[in-house]
């Protein structure tokens, strides 16, 4: 009795929750960014069907990734994590997957002779998106926002914007096909260009249905490397609860509104044993704020001896509207954030272990470089359903910069 009174409440509660964790224990916590479904019975029957399917990823390949991530932490590998902002369910044909994977390999090859790359795609499941508003209003009419192909479709039409549970099954089938092609490519390739998969584990109903037990541990078997998005890391206890129970390596997106206290609590909750490689912090601060915020975070993590991998996402803090009102990113700001990230880590006794990009192998005009793509060109081939991606010329230029910075700091 004395012990119970004396122990801080959170420790007692944590112990209780540890014993009671299961893939759906998150439903007892408040959550955000999971869409409401009109017919919950239909949702549950689709989830039941997914729970009975073969999982998408095998435990051995997740454990292989964990070993590689230990080496990333040890500065033996450098992460390139890249792909679409929002993947389309229809992008499952072999030719498309080959194009995407070959392009990612081409990007990682750029740094190959300076650092061994660890290639991770935003692929085979990047189908769910957090949105700043639940509704999109056009001419006084409100429809649910587009939450990614897992939930609804981007066309502004009430028939396809209503969250549809059947889409969870479609997403599962699409991911299965994409993974089939990736596995084939991985088998044919050198171990150095092996591609692991990642996505934001946002839709916890879907993730829970693909979370399975193996040798007394729980794994998310929808992807190798799930990440906790910036919005849910900060505001959704349910997402934190879910991530606490899985044995996959985990990445956490952290933006300017994160505080060091919350960050430390998150790290300790998700990696209580302080295992090197288990947690990656993906900072996405923007080219100005990175200089004000990142030094304090690094100092805090170093002083408190938490083992983390540091990754820079130079995309999400640099999203803005062009003067003609189109969502874009300026390549020079992306470059500036990368340079600052390497330099700050270097001067604060730390090391940048990876880069996180939104890219496409197609010649889109979504980011502005003021050479091939100017403001006036944005609409000529703007295809992204959510965030603007680097086209091949821009992405290669960015990787060249990463290579030069790696040469400087290694
Ligand atoms: C994303 O990676 O597409 C995304 C929404 O990121 P963040 O959580 O960092 O905003
Ligand atoms: Co994005």
């Amino acid at each position: 009795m004395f012990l119970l009174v004396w122990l801080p409440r959170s420790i007692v509660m944590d112990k209780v929750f540890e014993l009671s964790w299961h893939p759906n224990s998150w439903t007892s916590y408040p959550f955000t960014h999971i869409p409401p479904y009109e017919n919950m019975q239909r949702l549950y029957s689709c989830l039941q069907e997914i729970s009975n399917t073969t999982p998408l990823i095998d435990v051995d390949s997740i454990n292989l990734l964990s070993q590689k991530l230990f080496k990333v932490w040890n500065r033996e590998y450098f992460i390139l994590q890249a792909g679409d902002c929002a993947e389309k369910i229809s992008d499952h044909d072999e030719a498309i997957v080959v194009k995407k994977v070959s392009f990612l390999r081409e990007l990682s090859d750029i740094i190959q002779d300076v650092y061994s790359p660890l290639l991770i795609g935003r692929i085979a499941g990047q189908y769910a998106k957090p949105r700043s508003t639940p509704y999109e209003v056009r001419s006084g009419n409100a429809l649910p926002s587009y939450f990614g192909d897992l939930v609804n479709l981007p066309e502004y039409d009430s028939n396809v914007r209503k969250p549809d549970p059947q889409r969870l099954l479609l997403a599962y089938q699409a991911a299965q096909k994409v993974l089939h092609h990736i596995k084939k490519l991985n088998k044919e390739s050198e171990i150095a260009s092996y591609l692991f998969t990642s996505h934001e584990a946002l839709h916890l109903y879907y993730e829970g249905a693909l979370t399975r037990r193996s040798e007394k541990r729980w794994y998310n078997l929808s992807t190798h490397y799930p990440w906790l998005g910036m919005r849910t890391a900060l505001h959704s206890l349910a997402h934190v609860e879910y991530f606490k129970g899985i044995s996959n390596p985990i990445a956490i997106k952290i933006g300017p509104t994160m505080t060091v206290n919350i960050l430390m609590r998150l790290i300790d909750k998700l990696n209580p044993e302080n295992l090197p490689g288990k947690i990656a912090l993906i900072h996405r601060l923007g080219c100005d704020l990175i200089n004000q915020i990142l030094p304090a975070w690094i100092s805090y993590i170093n002083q408190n001896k938490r083992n983390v991998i540091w990754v820079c996402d130079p995309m999400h803090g640099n999203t803005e509207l062009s003067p003609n009102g189109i969502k874009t990113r300026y390549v020079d700001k992306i470059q500036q954030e990368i340079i600052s990230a390497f330099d700050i880590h270097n001067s604060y006794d730390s090391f940048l272990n990876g880069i996180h990009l939104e890219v496409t192998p197609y010649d889109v005009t979504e980011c502005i470089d003021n050479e091939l793509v100017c403001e006036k060109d944005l609409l000529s081939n703007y295809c992204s359903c959510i965030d603007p991606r680097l086209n091949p010329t821009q992405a290669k230029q960015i990787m060249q910069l990463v290579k030069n910075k790696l040469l400087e700091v290694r």
Side-chain angles (χ1 to χ4, degrees):
M1 189 58 205
F2 171 73
L3 199 66
L4 274 177
V5 172
W6 177 80
L7 278 173
R9 187 186 158 89
S10 67
I11 295 182
V12 179
M13 295 306 269
D14 275 357
K15 212 66 217 160
V16 172
F17 290 143
E18 214 171 276
L19 296 173
S20 61
W21 191 94
H22 59 85
N24 291 320
S25 55
W26 62 269
T27 51
S28 315
Y29 293 78
F31 55 82
T32 53
H33 296 286
I34 301 176
Y37 286 90
E38 241 171 54
N39 186 336
M40 292 302 278
Q41 222 34 59
R42 274 194 66 213
L43 172 70
Y44 294 138
S45 82
C46 292
L47 292 171
Q48 190 56 48
E49 222 176 296
I50 295 173
S51 307
N52 294 333
T53 56
T54 343
L56 293 168
I57 303 285
D58 62 277
V59 170
D60 286 350
S61 61
I62 293 175
N63 290 337
L64 174 66
L65 175 62
S66 294
Q67 288 165 21
K68 297 231 173 201
L69 287 167
F70 174 80
K71 292 188 173 175
V72 169
W73 176 82
N74 212 25
R75 305 185 184 183
E76 292 169 58
Y77 285 96
F78 186 83
I79 293 175
L80 167 61
Q81 183 174 22
D84 292 305
C85 176
E87 206 183 350
K88 300 298 297 167
I89 277 181
S90 53
D91 280 359
H92 57 64
D93 287 347
E94 184 163 17
I96 297 178
V97 178
V98 169
K99 192 168 172 86
K100 287 186 182 182
V101 174
S102 316
F103 174 57
L104 293 177
R105 285 179 175 165
E106 207 182 319
L107 293 181
S108 73
D109 281 351
I110 295 175
I111 58 166
Q112 173 93 28
D113 50 346
V114 181
Y115 235 96
S116 297
L118 174 60
L119 186 54
I120 299 163
R122 290 173 62 112
I123 197 166
Q126 177 51 15
Y127 301 127
K129 299 305 300 175
R131 302 314 304 268
S132 46
T133 52
Y135 288 95
E136 186 180 339
V137 180
R138 288 194 200 172
S139 332
N141 180 36
L143 288 183
S145 296
Y146 169 57
F147 296 109
D149 271 20
L150 188 67
V151 176
N152 55 5
L153 286 170
E155 289 75 30
Y156 197 74
D157 173 341
S158 57
N159 292 319
V160 300
R161 278 292 177 95
K162 206 164 37 168
D164 177 2
Q166 197 67 25
R167 300 199 62 79
L168 302 175
L169 284 161
L170 296 180
Y172 168 83
Q173 287 153 4
Q176 195 175 40
K177 288 179 192 151
V178 174
L179 281 161
H180 172 78
H181 307 314
I182 293 177
K183 276 183 200 152
K184 219 164 111 188
L185 290 164
N186 276 345
K187 260 199 205 121
E188 288 161 6
S189 79
E190 311 255 314
I191 189 77
S193 46
Y194 193 98
L195 178 100
F196 293 92
T197 62
S198 70
H199 65 246
E200 177 172 357
L202 184 66
H203 199 301
L204 296 183
Y205 288 113
Y206 178 78
E207 305 299 336
L210 283 164
T211 300
R212 311 282 167 85
R213 206 165 161 81
S214 168
E215 295 186 4
K216 298 197 180 148
R217 288 159 151 245
W218 288 99
Y219 287 85
N220 179 325
L221 299 181
S222 77
T223 188
H224 296 104
Y225 203 11
W227 79 78
L228 179 58
M230 184 195 73
R231 293 156 190 83
T232 43
L234 210 50
H235 299 296
S236 179
L237 292 177
H239 284 81
V240 177
E241 164 70 11
Y242 172 77
F243 273 86
K244 198 178 85 181
I246 54 173
S247 298
N248 305 58
I250 292 168
I252 311 173
K253 292 274 215 113
I254 49 176
T257 43
M258 180 55 78
T259 66
V260 278
N261 288 338
I262 299 178
L263 184 58
M264 287 300 281
R265 248 185 284 145
L266 261 177
I267 293 173
D268 290 344
K269 227 179 185 124
L270 303 184
N271 188 17
E273 291 163 87
N274 201 18
L275 300 173
K278 166 78 184 181
I279 299 274
L281 299 179
I282 306 179
H283 48 78
R284 27 90 79 228
L285 292 163
C287 62
D288 293 326
L289 286 179
I290 189 169
N291 298 300
Q292 293 168 36
I293 299 175
L294 187 59
W297 284 353
I298 296 175
S299 305
Y300 208 80
I301 294 286
N302 282 355
Q303 271 163 24
N304 291 284
K305 298 192 167 42
R306 294 304 190 270
N307 298 319
V308 300
I309 287 169
W310 289 103
V311 177
C312 170
D313 165 357
M315 312 295 292
H316 288 85
N318 292 311
T319 315
E320 58 191 284
L321 288 184
S322 68
N324 46 350
I326 299 157
K327 198 181 194 189
T328 191
R329 289 162 173 155
Y330 289 83
V331 173
D332 59 348
K333 294 191 181 179
I334 294 170
Q335 288 170 327
Q336 196 46 58
E337 181 159 355
I338 293 172
I339 294 169
S340 299
F342 273 106
D343 291 349
I344 294 168
H345 278 286
N346 204 28
S347 10
Y348 285 83
D349 195 21
S350 175
F351 185 76
L352 186 66
N353 307 103
I355 188 94
H356 184 116
L357 303 172
E358 288 186 341
V359 299
T360 173
Y362 302 98
D363 263 320
V364 299
T365 53
E366 298 170 3
C367 295
I368 295 174
D369 53 39
N370 281 323
E371 283 174 32
L372 295 172
V373 185
C374 301
E375 269 155 36
K376 65 171 174 39
D377 307 315
L378 280 178
L379 287 183
S380 65
N381 196 21
Y382 197 107
C383 306
S384 178
C385 294
I386 310 255
D387 288 338
R389 301 157 298 174
L390 298 166
N391 65 27
T393 312
Q394 296 167 339
K396 284 180 206 164
Q397 209 180 333
I398 292 291
M399 289 311 292
Q400 199 56 50
L401 170 67
V402 169
K403 178 183 178 172
N404 294 343
K405 292 306 286 183
L406 278 171
L407 273 169
E408 223 179 278
V409 298
R410 65 187 283 201

